[in-house]
Amino acid sequence: RRDSVALEERRNIINEKLAKKDRKKKKKRNCREKESRESEGNSSAAELTPDSCSSDSLGKDNMAETDGAEVIELTPEEDTTIKRASDTMAEIEAEERKEREEQKKKQREPPIIFKDAVDIRVEFDALVGLIDGILSPEEQQSLEELHQYMLEDEGSWALGDGFLNFIGRLLHDKSLQTDTRVRILNVLALAALKDDVILLLHQDRREHVLMNYAHDIDRLSPEEQEALALFICNLFENLSSSEWLLYISEWQYCNSTISNIRVSTKVAVNSLLADNTTLQDRGSAIMHNLACKEVFDDVAVELTMAVLQYFNSSPPEEQLFRCMKALVRFCQISPQDVPQLIQMIGPEPGKFRGVSARVDELNDVVSSKLR
């Protein structure tokens, strides 16, 4: 492996330097022994005869030895070799971290996402048609960066520092058509499937462009709500972006204290309880995905209340299965409060017995948690 080669190179260089230093120390010890013998043979001499082992030179050598006892000087070539070895080690460590994340990804409960809900070329072309001629030079540059990221398969490094300002204008400028916001959200929903989207999300730590917009989901048009729910749901594809949705750091927005997890919860609840069947489908997926994460008790309770309210309707089997599975998980997260809520609010899990074998199995688990 590359790390073995790199370590061996570094070890050889350092060992060689240590060997040279040992040889110098032995030579100095020999000089001191020789000086001692000469001093004993000529004790009346005021000073030793200058030679290669004079006290003056020896004192300087001793000072040099003391001052630089642990310093190993390297030639530029050796220094470059060690730096190259360090860089190689850094690359290997990065690969190992990626492997560990992939392993965690395999072991976790698979999230429910929508990879084929929209077509990137259709969405991007429609977006360009809607905003053509109204962008500043900086915004035009951001649009080109988005093209590179989504259609040319460049990494998120292609997105400049001002990219989120461009996204913010498209989402918050009410003079733009509603379809503009729908199209950019659909593009972002496909970007959410990329494993480096977290770098874009981290750029939003100061302005909170994305989450401030998502917090207003109940004020958006149905089309925007659908696109927003798709974006949030697809962010569960990768571990890093799914963890981002759970961040608890708070900020002020419109006289409210909000956080990523509060916004994620609001989107899940609003989508699940909407009259729109597409939103219900995506909301049940977000509910399932949140339940598979390590959420706090209060979040589990809030989501449970939404699920129970949703159960008062007649959900399709797929959405029912997702929500029942989430309910089982919430019972595990909050083993006291959630079962009490189920008994107080209802409906009884047995209401859905016979819908399918997999729903019946989850029904039995939930029922076993009730007192």
Side-chain angles (χ1 to χ4, degrees), residues 134-136 139 164-173 176:
I134 65 172
L135 299 180
S136 67
E139 291 168 340
L164 277 174
N165 294 330
F166 165 66
I167 298 297
R169 188 204 166 181
L170 297 187
L171 292 178
H172 295 283
D173 187 347
L176 300 178

Side-chain angles (χ1 to χ4, degrees), residues 82-96:
I82 290 179
K83 286 181 178 179
R84 187 165 56 246
S86 298
D87 291 342
T88 301
M89 287 296 296
E91 291 177 6
I92 293 170
E93 289 174 358
E95 290 177 2
E96 290 176 347

Side-chain angles (χ1 to χ4, degrees), residues 9-24:
E9 289 181 2
R10 186 173 183 178
R11 190 180 295 114
N12 290 340
I13 291 172
I14 293 176
N15 285 340
E16 183 179 348
K17 289 296 180 181
L18 289 173
K20 288 181 180 179
K21 194 166 187 64
D22 287 339
R23 288 196 294 271
K24 287 182 180 179

Side-chain angles (χ1 to χ4, degrees), residues 246 248 250 259 261-262 265 269 294-306 330 333-335 337-338 341:
L246 307 184
I248 61 174
E250 297 178 333
S259 62
I261 181 57
R262 290 184 181 179
T265 301
V269 171
E294 294 294 331
V295 298
F296 291 111
D297 287 23
D298 59 334
V299 174
V301 168
E302 184 175 353
L303 295 175
T304 295
M305 293 178 67
F330 296 149
I333 294 173
S334 183
D337 293 340
V338 169
L341 272 177

Side-chain angles (χ1 to χ4, degrees), residues 9 27 30 49 51 73 75 99 129-130 139 141 146-147 149-150 155 162-164 181 203-204 266 281 294 312 329 357:
E9 289 181 2
K27 183 177 179 181
N30 291 336
T49 303
D51 59 13
E73 296 181 359
T75 65
E99 289 175 1
L130 289 165
E139 291 168 340
Q141 175 61 34
L146 182 61
H147 183 276
Y149 184 46
M150 296 305 302
F163 180 76
L164 277 174
R181 292 184 283 277
Q203 290 183 20
D204 202 24
K266 184 176 182 179
D281 183 35
E294 294 294 331
N312 286 320
R329 177 66 178 141

